[in-house]
Amino acid sequence: MSVPIAPGRWPFLGHTPALLRQRFAFTDTLPRHGEIVRLYLGPAPVYFVASPRLTHEVLVNEGPKFRKGAMFDKFRPFVGNGLVLSNGDFHLRQRRLMQPAFHRDRLAAYAEIMRRAATDLSDSWRAGEVRKIDEDMQSLAVTIVGEALFSTELGKAAITEARRSIYVIIQQGMIRALSPKFVEKLPVPGNRRFDEAITRMQGIVIEVIRDWRRAGTDRGDLLSTLLLAGMTDEQARDEVLTLLTGGIETTALALGWTFHELGRRPDVEARVHAEVDEVLGGRPVTIEDIPRLTYVRQVVDEVLRQYPLWMLMRRTLTEVDLGGVRLPAGAEVIVSPHALHHDPKSFADPDRFDPGRWAPDRVDAVPKGAFVPFGAGNRQCIGNRFAQNEIVITVATLAARWKLVPVAGRPVRIKFTSAAYPDSLPMTVVPR
């Protein structure tokens, strides 16, 4: 189906709050028009894939016929050719080199970093204080990914810089990716903050890499895995920046929204607390506990469904037959996790927060391609298990000791960029 959009009205352009809200509203209505909807970005057609079935084709069955699309091209000059942005044989090579960093034994070591960081955060809270939970979760996510990447004193400086710069890079970078080319040349504060932040991050990462080269020893961190695999300084820098940007936003947002939803739903919160108490029995959480925290994982999956990325882009490498529609080589294709996760054909009453959707007797009813919080196929996020473990371990650690109560008269609103951010998330810390 073709839905022509006048160039001046295309809702991807611009980034005022009102237009950002329109993006979600616009893409979420497209499945009503068919499985593939042709849009126009000015004179150029863009194909919106609006069904789980064809999403699975694009991301999995026909995945090798696609590469990353136009939105990702605009990131490459700034964050390099890391795993999220690279294509073809180079992407496959890099993924294979990085895979050992996410094997089970390494995940167990990272789980200890996660538990320790979450415990330190828990210990810093005081009964009755109001915390900015969104900021706490952002800081926690930076700490966890940073400590998994870097284990030296200089690495601590890189983590400090990441706290300062990484969210500027993520949010201002998305604005650039969704705006016309000329916008990045404008002398406006957002552009200046982005340019300064990416320069600082690139500089400190290269400094840490050169420090590692001088020592030349396996320190058991992610950076050691990359360099011992034979990556050049530039390749390792790009992958580190990719892991920092890709490994922080999703988990920080998921954690913030999890505590928001628990605060709104005492029934869900009570089940989480009961399960944590039963499984842990007052001891620290370990990676072996994660499979037993079944309801916590249901809550996490529902948060990932409710608050996902807005969209992914792909470009056809060759002509592709997709659902009977012939897409030419070079066609730009959009998949919207947000639209898929809120499609009532896949999820009844999709705006309702319901962890029961992910109960063992219901989860198999979710169609393939309907739930893609980390992508799918050969481009699925390499750190998806890392992220899921991080969220569950943090929730279990904090919920074992605290209740987080919404602040009366402080409604939480959503700011939209690449994903759904809370405008603020104040919550009162109450001992259990």
mmCIF file of all heavy atoms in Angstrom, residues 222-253:
data_model
loop_
_atom_site.group_PDB
_atom_site.id
_atom_site.type_symbol
_atom_site.label_atom_id
_atom_site.label_comp_id
_atom_site.label_asym_id
_atom_site.label_seq_id
_atom_site.Cartn_x
_atom_site.Cartn_y
_atom_site.Cartn_z
ATOM 1 N N LEU A 222 36.431 -6.629 28.938
ATOM 2 C CA LEU A 222 35.991 -6.666 27.542
ATOM 3 C C LEU A 222 37.052 -6.108 26.604
ATOM 4 O O LEU A 222 37.257 -6.619 25.506
ATOM 5 C CB LEU A 222 34.691 -5.869 27.385
ATOM 6 C CG LEU A 222 33.389 -6.653 27.524
ATOM 7 C CD1 LEU A 222 32.223 -5.692 27.713
ATOM 8 C CD2 LEU A 222 33.152 -7.511 26.288
ATOM 9 N N LEU A 223 37.716 -5.051 27.011
ATOM 10 C CA LEU A 223 38.746 -4.460 26.160
ATOM 11 C C LEU A 223 39.851 -5.466 25.863
ATOM 12 O O LEU A 223 40.340 -5.546 24.724
ATOM 13 C CB LEU A 223 39.329 -3.211 26.816
ATOM 14 C CG LEU A 223 40.420 -2.494 26.018
ATOM 15 C CD1 LEU A 223 39.875 -1.994 24.683
ATOM 16 C CD2 LEU A 223 41.006 -1.333 26.812
ATOM 17 N N SER A 224 40.249 -6.249 26.860
ATOM 18 C CA SER A 224 41.272 -7.272 26.626
ATOM 19 C C SER A 224 40.808 -8.268 25.574
ATOM 20 O O SER A 224 41.590 -8.691 24.709
ATOM 21 C CB SER A 224 41.595 -8.004 27.931
ATOM 22 O OG SER A 224 42.213 -7.146 28.856
ATOM 23 N N THR A 225 39.546 -8.659 25.616
ATOM 24 C CA THR A 225 39.007 -9.591 24.620
ATOM 25 C C THR A 225 39.140 -9.015 23.215
ATOM 26 O O THR A 225 39.548 -9.712 22.274
ATOM 27 C CB THR A 225 37.531 -9.907 24.914
ATOM 28 O OG1 THR A 225 37.425 -10.474 26.226
ATOM 29 C CG2 THR A 225 36.975 -10.891 23.901
ATOM 30 N N LEU A 226 38.802 -7.748 23.063
ATOM 31 C CA LEU A 226 38.858 -7.123 21.737
ATOM 32 C C LEU A 226 40.295 -7.062 21.222
ATOM 33 O O LEU A 226 40.562 -7.397 20.064
ATOM 34 C CB LEU A 226 38.277 -5.705 21.801
ATOM 35 C CG LEU A 226 36.842 -5.544 22.325
ATOM 36 C CD1 LEU A 226 36.408 -4.088 22.209
ATOM 37 C CD2 LEU A 226 35.875 -6.440 21.588
ATOM 38 N N LEU A 227 41.220 -6.642 22.076
ATOM 39 C CA LEU A 227 42.595 -6.439 21.623
ATOM 40 C C LEU A 227 43.338 -7.753 21.446
ATOM 41 O O LEU A 227 44.134 -7.910 20.515
ATOM 42 C CB LEU A 227 43.326 -5.518 22.590
ATOM 43 C CG LEU A 227 42.766 -4.080 22.628
ATOM 44 C CD1 LEU A 227 43.403 -3.285 23.758
ATOM 45 C CD2 LEU A 227 42.976 -3.380 21.293
ATOM 46 N N LEU A 228 43.079 -8.722 22.306
ATOM 47 C CA LEU A 228 43.711 -10.033 22.144
ATOM 48 C C LEU A 228 43.181 -10.760 20.915
ATOM 49 O O LEU A 228 43.850 -11.666 20.393
ATOM 50 C CB LEU A 228 43.484 -10.881 23.399
ATOM 51 C CG LEU A 228 44.282 -10.451 24.635
ATOM 52 C CD1 LEU A 228 43.786 -11.187 25.874
ATOM 53 C CD2 LEU A 228 45.776 -10.685 24.431
ATOM 54 N N ALA A 229 41.990 -10.370 20.436
ATOM 55 C CA ALA A 229 41.443 -10.969 19.225
ATOM 56 C C ALA A 229 42.105 -10.426 17.961
ATOM 57 O O ALA A 229 41.840 -10.918 16.863
ATOM 58 C CB ALA A 229 39.937 -10.730 19.157
ATOM 59 N N GLY A 230 42.952 -9.410 18.101
ATOM 60 C CA GLY A 230 43.687 -8.895 16.958
ATOM 61 C C GLY A 230 43.141 -7.632 16.344
ATOM 62 O O GLY A 230 43.553 -7.241 15.243
ATOM 63 N N MET A 231 42.235 -6.936 17.040
ATOM 64 C CA MET A 231 41.701 -5.697 16.494
ATOM 65 C C MET A 231 42.747 -4.597 16.542
ATOM 66 O O MET A 231 43.579 -4.549 17.448
ATOM 67 C CB MET A 231 40.462 -5.252 17.283
ATOM 68 C CG MET A 231 39.260 -6.138 17.110
ATOM 69 S SD MET A 231 37.791 -5.405 17.886
ATOM 70 C CE MET A 231 36.680 -6.813 17.844
ATOM 71 N N THR A 232 42.683 -3.705 15.559
ATOM 72 C CA THR A 232 43.519 -2.513 15.579
ATOM 73 C C THR A 232 42.991 -1.546 16.640
ATOM 74 O O THR A 232 41.881 -1.713 17.166
ATOM 75 C CB THR A 232 43.502 -1.804 14.218
ATOM 76 O OG1 THR A 232 42.171 -1.299 13.985
ATOM 77 C CG2 THR A 232 43.893 -2.757 13.100
ATOM 78 N N ASP A 233 43.785 -0.514 16.930
ATOM 79 C CA ASP A 233 43.326 0.492 17.895
ATOM 80 C C ASP A 233 42.008 1.116 17.445
ATOM 81 O O ASP A 233 41.101 1.316 18.253
ATOM 82 C CB ASP A 233 44.372 1.592 18.058
ATOM 83 C CG ASP A 233 45.611 1.122 18.800
ATOM 84 O OD1 ASP A 233 45.697 -0.090 19.123
ATOM 85 O OD2 ASP A 233 46.499 1.958 19.046
ATOM 86 N N GLU A 234 41.899 1.422 16.155
ATOM 87 C CA GLU A 234 40.702 2.086 15.643
ATOM 88 C C GLU A 234 39.491 1.157 15.703
ATOM 89 O O GLU A 234 38.389 1.587 16.070
ATOM 90 C CB GLU A 234 40.922 2.570 14.208
ATOM 91 C CG GLU A 234 41.905 3.730 14.073
ATOM 92 C CD GLU A 234 43.352 3.305 14.315
ATOM 93 O OE1 GLU A 234 43.677 2.094 14.154
ATOM 94 O OE2 GLU A 234 44.169 4.177 14.680
ATOM 95 N N GLN A 235 39.681 -0.118 15.351
ATOM 96 C CA GLN A 235 38.570 -1.058 15.430
ATOM 97 C C GLN A 235 38.100 -1.232 16.877
ATOM 98 O O GLN A 235 36.899 -1.233 17.160
ATOM 99 C CB GLN A 235 38.989 -2.411 14.851
ATOM 100 C CG GLN A 235 39.151 -2.406 13.335
ATOM 101 C CD GLN A 235 39.845 -3.661 12.827
ATOM 102 O OE1 GLN A 235 40.331 -4.483 13.607
ATOM 103 N NE2 GLN A 235 39.898 -3.805 11.510
ATOM 104 N N ALA A 236 39.061 -1.374 17.789
ATOM 105 C CA ALA A 236 38.699 -1.518 19.200
ATOM 106 C C ALA A 236 38.001 -0.265 19.723
ATOM 107 O O ALA A 236 37.025 -0.348 20.476
ATOM 108 C CB ALA A 236 39.936 -1.824 20.033
ATOM 109 N N ARG A 237 38.498 0.911 19.328
ATOM 110 C CA ARG A 237 37.845 2.166 19.740
ATOM 111 C C ARG A 237 36.394 2.193 19.287
ATOM 112 O O ARG A 237 35.479 2.515 20.052
ATOM 113 C CB ARG A 237 38.594 3.359 19.152
ATOM 114 C CG ARG A 237 37.955 4.721 19.451
ATOM 115 C CD ARG A 237 38.392 5.749 18.426
ATOM 116 N NE ARG A 237 37.957 5.381 17.078
ATOM 117 C CZ ARG A 237 38.483 5.887 15.961
ATOM 118 N NH1 ARG A 237 39.487 6.758 16.037
ATOM 119 N NH2 ARG A 237 38.008 5.521 14.779
ATOM 120 N N ASP A 238 36.152 1.836 18.029
ATOM 121 C CA ASP A 238 34.789 1.855 17.494
ATOM 122 C C ASP A 238 33.894 0.877 18.243
ATOM 123 O O ASP A 238 32.728 1.177 18.538
ATOM 124 C CB ASP A 238 34.795 1.519 16.003
ATOM 125 C CG ASP A 238 35.467 2.589 15.156
ATOM 126 O OD1 ASP A 238 35.772 3.668 15.693
ATOM 127 O OD2 ASP A 238 35.689 2.331 13.948
ATOM 128 N N GLU A 239 34.420 -0.309 18.553
ATOM 129 C CA GLU A 239 33.600 -1.294 19.259
ATOM 130 C C GLU A 239 33.338 -0.860 20.703
ATOM 131 O O GLU A 239 32.242 -1.090 21.234
ATOM 132 C CB GLU A 239 34.258 -2.676 19.233
ATOM 133 C CG GLU A 239 34.455 -3.266 17.847
ATOM 134 C CD GLU A 239 33.168 -3.461 17.057
ATOM 135 O OE1 GLU A 239 32.066 -3.250 17.630
ATOM 136 O OE2 GLU A 239 33.258 -3.817 15.869
ATOM 137 N N VAL A 240 34.320 -0.237 21.340
ATOM 138 C CA VAL A 240 34.102 0.266 22.695
ATOM 139 C C VAL A 240 33.016 1.341 22.694
ATOM 140 O O VAL A 240 32.107 1.335 23.543
ATOM 141 C CB VAL A 240 35.413 0.805 23.298
ATOM 142 C CG1 VAL A 240 35.131 1.628 24.560
ATOM 143 C CG2 VAL A 240 36.346 -0.349 23.628
ATOM 144 N N LEU A 241 33.086 2.273 21.757
ATOM 145 C CA LEU A 241 32.057 3.316 21.677
ATOM 146 C C LEU A 241 30.694 2.703 21.389
ATOM 147 O O LEU A 241 29.670 3.157 21.912
ATOM 148 C CB LEU A 241 32.424 4.339 20.600
ATOM 149 C CG LEU A 241 33.600 5.251 20.929
ATOM 150 C CD1 LEU A 241 33.989 6.095 19.721
ATOM 151 C CD2 LEU A 241 33.281 6.145 22.125
ATOM 152 N N THR A 242 30.665 1.660 20.562
ATOM 153 C CA THR A 242 29.407 0.974 20.272
ATOM 154 C C THR A 242 28.844 0.315 21.521
ATOM 155 O O THR A 242 27.645 0.403 21.809
ATOM 156 C CB THR A 242 29.623 -0.088 19.177
ATOM 157 O OG1 THR A 242 30.009 0.571 17.961
ATOM 158 C CG2 THR A 242 28.356 -0.894 18.931
ATOM 159 N N LEU A 243 29.708 -0.361 22.283
ATOM 160 C CA LEU A 243 29.247 -1.025 23.496
ATOM 161 C C LEU A 243 28.778 -0.011 24.537
ATOM 162 O O LEU A 243 27.812 -0.263 25.267
ATOM 163 C CB LEU A 243 30.361 -1.899 24.070
ATOM 164 C CG LEU A 243 30.700 -3.154 23.242
ATOM 165 C CD1 LEU A 243 32.016 -3.761 23.713
ATOM 166 C CD2 LEU A 243 29.581 -4.184 23.323
ATOM 167 N N LEU A 244 29.449 1.121 24.614
ATOM 168 C CA LEU A 244 29.028 2.150 25.560
ATOM 169 C C LEU A 244 27.680 2.745 25.186
ATOM 170 O O LEU A 244 26.784 2.867 26.029
ATOM 171 C CB LEU A 244 30.079 3.258 25.648
ATOM 172 C CG LEU A 244 31.342 2.945 26.437
ATOM 173 C CD1 LEU A 244 32.398 4.014 26.204
ATOM 174 C CD2 LEU A 244 31.037 2.812 27.924
ATOM 175 N N THR A 245 27.511 3.105 23.912
ATOM 176 C CA THR A 245 26.253 3.727 23.503
ATOM 177 C C THR A 245 25.121 2.702 23.451
ATOM 178 O O THR A 245 24.005 2.968 23.891
ATOM 179 C CB THR A 245 26.394 4.406 22.130
ATOM 180 O OG1 THR A 245 26.916 3.477 21.169
ATOM 181 C CG2 THR A 245 27.329 5.599 22.222
ATOM 182 N N GLY A 246 25.420 1.498 22.927
ATOM 183 C CA GLY A 246 24.376 0.490 22.798
ATOM 184 C C GLY A 246 24.084 -0.243 24.086
ATOM 185 O O GLY A 246 22.980 -0.781 24.262
ATOM 186 N N GLY A 247 25.045 -0.273 25.014
ATOM 187 C CA GLY A 247 24.884 -1.075 26.208
ATOM 188 C C GLY A 247 24.369 -0.328 27.410
ATOM 189 O O GLY A 247 24.241 -0.911 28.497
ATOM 190 N N ILE A 248 24.081 0.952 27.257
ATOM 191 C CA ILE A 248 23.677 1.755 28.411
ATOM 192 C C ILE A 248 22.229 2.204 28.315
ATOM 193 O O ILE A 248 21.459 2.050 29.267
ATOM 194 C CB ILE A 248 24.620 2.971 28.545
ATOM 195 C CG1 ILE A 248 26.003 2.497 29.007
ATOM 196 C CG2 ILE A 248 24.054 4.009 29.498
ATOM 197 C CD1 ILE A 248 27.064 3.579 28.997
ATOM 198 N N GLU A 249 21.823 2.733 27.164
ATOM 199 C CA GLU A 249 20.502 3.357 27.062
ATOM 200 C C GLU A 249 19.373 2.374 27.366
ATOM 201 O O GLU A 249 18.492 2.650 28.201
ATOM 202 C CB GLU A 249 20.309 3.957 25.672
ATOM 203 C CG GLU A 249 18.980 4.679 25.512
ATOM 204 C CD GLU A 249 18.784 5.237 24.113
ATOM 205 O OE1 GLU A 249 19.021 4.489 23.136
ATOM 206 O OE2 GLU A 249 18.371 6.395 23.993
ATOM 207 N N THR A 250 19.357 1.218 26.694
ATOM 208 C CA THR A 250 18.240 0.285 26.844
ATOM 209 C C THR A 250 18.093 -0.188 28.280
ATOM 210 O O THR A 250 16.984 -0.220 28.837
ATOM 211 C CB THR A 250 18.429 -0.922 25.906
ATOM 212 O OG1 THR A 250 18.456 -0.458 24.551
ATOM 213 C CG2 THR A 250 17.287 -1.918 26.076
ATOM 214 N N THR A 251 19.216 -0.563 28.921
ATOM 215 C CA THR A 251 19.123 -1.086 30.281
ATOM 216 C C THR A 251 18.739 0.001 31.279
ATOM 217 O O THR A 251 17.924 -0.237 32.178
ATOM 218 C CB THR A 251 20.447 -1.739 30.704
ATOM 219 O OG1 THR A 251 21.534 -0.833 30.453
ATOM 220 C CG2 THR A 251 20.686 -3.012 29.943
ATOM 221 N N ALA A 252 19.299 1.181 31.137
ATOM 222 C CA ALA A 252 18.966 2.264 32.064
ATOM 223 C C ALA A 252 17.489 2.613 31.979
ATOM 224 O O ALA A 252 16.808 2.798 33.003
ATOM 225 C CB ALA A 252 19.820 3.493 31.766
ATOM 226 N N LEU A 253 16.973 2.712 30.753
ATOM 227 C CA LEU A 253 15.552 3.019 30.587
ATOM 228 C C LEU A 253 14.681 1.895 31.127
ATOM 229 O O LEU A 253 13.677 2.133 31.801
ATOM 230 C CB LEU A 253 15.239 3.273 29.113
ATOM 231 C CG LEU A 253 15.785 4.582 28.543
ATOM 232 C CD1 LEU A 253 15.554 4.640 27.033
ATOM 233 C CD2 LEU A 253 15.136 5.779 29.218
#
